[in-house]
Amino acid sequence: MRMVDLIEKKRDGLELTKEEIRFIIKGYTKGDIPDYQISALAMAIFFQDMTTSERAELTMAMVESGDQIDLSAVQGVKVDKHSTGGVGDKTTIALAPLVAALGVPVAKMSGRGLGHTGGTIDKLEAIPGFSVEIDTKQFTELVNKNKLAVVGQTGNLTPADKKLYALRDVTATVNSIPLIASSIMSKKIASGADAIVLDVKTGSGAFMKELDQSKQLAEAMVEIGKNLGRETMAIISDMNQPLGRAIGNALEVKEAIQMLRGEGPEDLKELCLTLGSQMVFLAKQAISIEEARSKLEAVIANGEALEVLKTFITSQNGDASIVDNPDRLPSAKYLIEVTANETGTVSTIVADKIGTAAMLLGAGRATKDSTIDLAVGIVLNKKIGDSVKKGESLATLHSNSQEAQQVVEMVLAAYSISDQVVMKPTLIYEEIH
Ligand code: URA
């Protein structure tokens, strides 16, 4: 087989076979096929798309390019949740103990963040002592015992995807539905999921800004999952403004705890209940979505979800007293108010700008090697549809520096205030099965 012939085939819109896709991914992972030929192929895929069968084969070839996590020692249906990412998305921290409280095994492999705020691991590390450095044996033992454990990503999961993603990033081929869908799904499948619930974000703060694109991505991922024998569903949720009110690592942990207490922002709670019901249903712990939802509401109300969170933190060497005393989480030295310049109703909050502002305070990494400040971040006091008076606080910066004028201006610029009536945005747009 010659790579040049396969590039030509895709360029001309023909379907690559399973053997051809294996040849490409194996050769690229080993270093036998050079970057320039894969770049040309990625561009051909960008323009010509891939068939259903090609998408599934590409995903599987990437899964098999590296280690696969064997979760067979974990009892029950392992349902993983994946979010395509957004500002203030602390869903996993609340959702994992919530569904675990109903007996759904959550064996979560998470990553650190780049840009915006940290990833789930960074957020969890805001809890004093918490560690994700556990070996595979401990990991499965903890999931079987507590129904929940979180471990850091292993070095050799889907190496083909790592190489391909880095190449796409510099060849203008990131934004291709088949390439994004196979990239995300390869990581979920290699992590050992039996079933997958996807939270595809849409809007200004999301990877996919338009609803139509987000829907196409969700459909592509659901189709790949099903073709590879994993029950998969997706919801499309709003990222036209940050999720909840808190952005920043310790601040987001605090908000996730509030949610598990039945308090906290309504959008975060609704998203957790929507995703959670699907997870509980796919894990066969409820016979309908409605039953799953009422069971989830019950473990919030009776405190069982909070107890699971405490056990989870203690089992991974963290200080679980932060659950009852969130003030023991790292906190910033200065609180700086960002006040409204006019009276009206909040009509937009550009999520990306808020994410960048939080990163400038130190909550996220500008480069892979930056260290993050777990205490700092932003709390939004007003969200879209809220009325505000001139001089009233729109947001509070939690900063470790008194010099935060640039961040104040950035947050202010992220807000628009209208003199018209503004409706609160829809949170859940669609479900894709
Ligand atoms: N996230 C991924 O993991 N892969 C992509 O291709 C895009 C976003």
Side-chain angles (χ1 to χ4, degrees):
M1 232 179 272
R2 291 194 322 155
M3 187 60 196
V4 64
D5 299 327
L6 304 182
I7 299 171
E8 191 176 306
K9 194 171 174 188
K10 187 78 287 198
R11 183 202 65 193
D12 296 343
L14 300 173
E15 185 178 53
L16 296 171
T17 65
K18 173 177 176 172
E19 290 68 36
E20 287 165 343
I21 291 174
R22 299 273 150 146
F23 167 83
I24 295 166
I25 294 301
K26 248 193 200 146
Y28 186 47
T29 313
K30 269 172 66 190
D32 294 345
I33 300 176
D35 277 351
Y36 56 81
Q37 285 190 308
I38 299 294
S39 308
L41 179 74
M43 193 57 88
I45 293 172
F46 183 92
F47 284 112
Q48 294 289 4
D49 205 340
M50 287 183 117
T51 63
T52 302
S53 141
E54 283 179 311
R55 293 173 181 197
E57 292 304 342
L58 175 60
T59 306
M60 220 44 220
M62 294 204 288
V63 169
E64 288 167 8
S65 70
D67 297 341
Q68 292 179 57
I69 309 300
D70 179 7
L71 292 179
S72 55
V74 173
Q75 297 133 20
V77 183
K78 278 77 71 184
V79 188
D80 203 353
K81 187 239 24 162
H82 179 81
S83 152
T84 58
V87 181
D89 190 358
K90 69 285 291 174
T91 312
T92 299
I93 299 171
L95 189 56
L98 182 57
V99 300
L102 290 178
V104 178
V106 181
K108 188 94 192 131
M109 183 170 286
S110 285
R112 295 183 188 281
L114 188 60
H116 290 157
T117 59
T120 296
I121 290 190
D122 299 306
K123 292 172 196 179
L124 287 169
E125 283 178 351
I127 300 168
F130 192 93
S131 168
V132 290
E133 305 293 323
I134 49 177
D135 63 29
T136 314
K137 188 164 169 279
Q138 274 175 303
F139 181 57
T140 33
E141 277 171 9
L142 285 178
V143 181
N144 280 332
K145 191 163 144 247
N146 303 330
K147 295 291 169 211
L148 169 58
V150 176
V151 69
Q153 251 149 29
T154 73
N156 201 32
L157 210 69
T158 60
D161 172 62
K162 269 195 201 105
K163 254 183 116 171
L164 183 58
Y165 190 74
L167 189 67
R168 286 165 53 212
D169 207 20
V170 291
T171 55
T173 49
V174 167
N175 236 340
S176 148
I177 300 268
L179 294 178
I180 301 171
S182 55
S183 164
I184 293 176
M185 291 304 284
S186 68
K187 285 175 280 215
K188 294 288 107 184
I189 291 172
S191 319
D194 299 321
I196 302 157
V197 171
L198 300 159
D199 178 12
V200 179
K201 305 284 190 192
T202 194
S204 67
F207 193 59
M208 292 289 175
K209 313 272 180 218
E210 305 298 330
L211 183 56
D212 184 47
Q213 277 184 318
S214 309
K215 203 175 154 187
Q216 282 182 40
L217 177 60
E219 285 168 349
M221 291 195 286
V222 169
E223 191 175 56
I224 290 174
K226 287 186 172 167
N227 279 330
L228 296 176
R230 298 337 187 255
E231 282 212 62
T232 308
M233 70 80 59
I235 65 150
I236 302 188
S237 73
D238 186 64
M239 193 34 75
N240 277 304
Q241 62 178 339
L243 181 69
R245 295 189 178 276
I247 300 102
N249 301 285
L251 294 168
E252 292 188 39
V253 170
K254 211 171 178 174
E255 193 166 81
I257 295 170
Q258 280 173 352
M259 190 263 133
L260 290 173
R261 285 191 187 290
E263 300 158 6
E266 205 39 51
D267 57 350
L268 175 63
K269 185 173 174 191
E270 183 52 37
L271 186 64
C272 287
L273 288 173
T274 304
L275 293 167
S277 329
Q278 298 289 344
M279 292 173 79
V280 169
F281 177 68
L282 287 182
K284 306 197 183 340
Q285 300 297 326
I287 54 166
S288 67
I289 298 295
E290 295 69 32
E291 189 197 30
R293 190 178 171 107
S294 60
K295 282 182 157 182
L296 290 168
E297 282 168 338
V299 290
I300 294 174
N302 68 17
E304 281 175 33
L306 266 188
E307 285 308 311
V308 172
L309 176 65
K310 287 182 193 167
T311 309
F312 159 61
I313 294 175
T314 308
S315 299
Q316 296 200 215
N317 295 324
D319 175 5
S321 72
I322 58 108
V323 175
D324 292 325
N325 299 290
D327 293 339
R328 292 198 184 156
L329 285 163
S331 61
K333 279 199 202 114
Y334 306 103
L335 298 184
I336 301 165
E337 300 303 330
V338 179
T339 53
N341 288 333
E342 56 196 312
T343 295
T345 308
V346 176
S347 56
T348 27
I349 307 176
V350 183
D352 274 358
K353 281 195 186 155
I354 299 285
T356 307
M359 189 182 77
L360 289 180
L361 287 174
R365 290 184 184 81
T367 71
K368 248 181 10 202
D369 303 318
S370 340
T371 49
I372 55 177
D373 185 339
L374 297 166
V376 301
I378 301 170
V379 174
L380 306 180
N381 301 316
K382 298 287 178 187
K383 293 200 59 179
I384 297 177
D386 289 343
S387 52
V388 61
K389 291 202 176 70
K390 185 176 175 183
E392 210 181 341
S393 175
L394 292 169
T396 308
L397 308 186
H398 291 237
S399 173
N400 272 328
S401 158
Q402 254 175 316
E403 289 301 313
Q405 196 48 36
Q406 188 197 355
V407 182
V408 169
E409 277 160 25
M410 195 175 274
V411 172
L412 202 51
Y415 273 86
S416 312
I417 295 172
S418 160
D419 56 7
Q420 312 280 312
V421 174
V422 180
M423 304 299 287
K424 291 202 182 290
T426 302
L427 178 67
I428 314 283
Y429 291 96
E430 263 184 71
E431 275 182 20
I432 313 277
H433 291 272

